[in-house]
């Protein structure tokens, strides 16, 4: 009444129905959520260069069907996007830390890098034992631009 409230005069239960069938509740946004274990699994799969769809398919297999995962492919895609946004400004530091950590496993491993005054990674060089022996045998060096045809 008065544009603010409504008054019910007659209620017929037979005309009422649930908004979502019980069998479809798993698709409602509030019912979907990746668990911490699932997020960690997806993160590890990303590190193995598996995309969000393949990560979801592996979860689906592991959990015995998509209805048991508790999330959808889009949730995996959104997790990856959120994760990439989170690490956006730290990705150069993460690369440097990861490659520096390899020095602890191999004394022959060499890794050098430079940041500019903005803290952006501008140069990276690494060589392991195999690449060093290949250089001694063949004398060739390959250089590549990993940013070629990217949107950043």
């Amino acid at each position: 009444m008065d544009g603010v409230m409504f008054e019910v005069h007659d209620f017929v239960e037979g005309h009422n129905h649930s908004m979502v069938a019980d069998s479809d509740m798993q698709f409602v946004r509030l019912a979907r959520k990746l668990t911490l274990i699932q997020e960690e699994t997806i993160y590890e799969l990303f590190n193995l260069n598996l995309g969000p769809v393949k990560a979801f398919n592996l979860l689906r297999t592991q959990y015995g069907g998509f209805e048991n995962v508790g999330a959808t492919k889009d949730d995996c895609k959104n997790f990856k996007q959120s994760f990439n946004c989170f690490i956006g400004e730290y990705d150069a530091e993460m690369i440097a830390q990861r490659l520096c950590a390899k020095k602890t496993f191999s004394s022959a491993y060499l890794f050098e890098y430079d940041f500019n005054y903005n803290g952006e990674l501008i140069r990276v060089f690494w060589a392991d034992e195999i690449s060093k022996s290949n250089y001694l045998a063949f004398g060739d060096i390959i250089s590549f631009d990993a940013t070629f045809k990217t949107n950043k």
Side-chain angles (χ1 to χ4, degrees):
M1 302 174 77
D2 299 325
V4 178
M5 297 177 60
F6 295 96
E7 186 175 314
V8 176
H9 293 280
D10 190 22
F11 177 76
V12 179
E13 176 111 26
H15 294 165
N16 195 19
H17 59 86
S18 64
M19 298 294 282
V20 179
D22 290 340
S23 61
D24 294 333
M25 279 302 290
Q26 65 200 12
F27 301 112
V28 176
R29 184 178 304 230
L30 292 174
R32 294 186 343 240
K33 180 154 178 31
L34 291 167
T35 65
L36 182 60
I37 292 172
Q38 289 172 328
E39 288 179 347
E40 288 174 353
T41 302
I42 293 169
Y43 170 76
E44 292 300 325
L45 293 171
F46 291 163
N47 285 339
L48 296 171
N49 292 325
L50 292 176
V53 173
K54 288 185 179 179
F56 175 79
N57 289 334
L58 285 170
L59 286 176
R60 185 190 67 191
T61 302
Q62 182 181 10
Y63 284 83
F66 72 91
E67 64 278 358
N68 299 326
V69 175
T72 65
K73 288 179 186 177
D74 288 337
D75 295 324
C76 291
K77 290 177 186 176
N78 292 339
F79 173 73
K80 181 169 183 169
Q81 182 179 12
S82 298
F83 183 78
N84 288 342
C85 288
F86 174 74
I87 65 165
E89 64 186 70
Y90 304 107
D91 58 348
E93 291 175 30
M94 290 173 67
I95 289 171
Q97 289 173 0
R98 188 172 188 149
L99 291 175
C100 281
K102 289 188 176 195
K103 286 183 180 182
T104 61
F105 299 109
S106 173
S107 60
Y109 184 80
L110 174 66
F111 173 63
E112 298 291 334
Y113 61 96
D114 287 320
F115 289 102
N116 66 10
Y117 61 91
N118 288 329
E120 298 167 332
L121 187 63
I122 56 173
R123 280 186 288 276
V124 176
F125 175 82
W126 71 91
D128 60 10
E129 192 171 332
I130 294 171
S131 62
K132 288 179 182 181
S133 64
N134 286 342
Y135 177 74
L136 290 174
F138 304 108
D140 292 332
I141 294 177
I142 297 174
S143 176
F144 62 92
D145 179 3
T147 63
F148 181 70
K149 287 193 174 183
T150 62
N151 61 354
K152 291 185 178 183

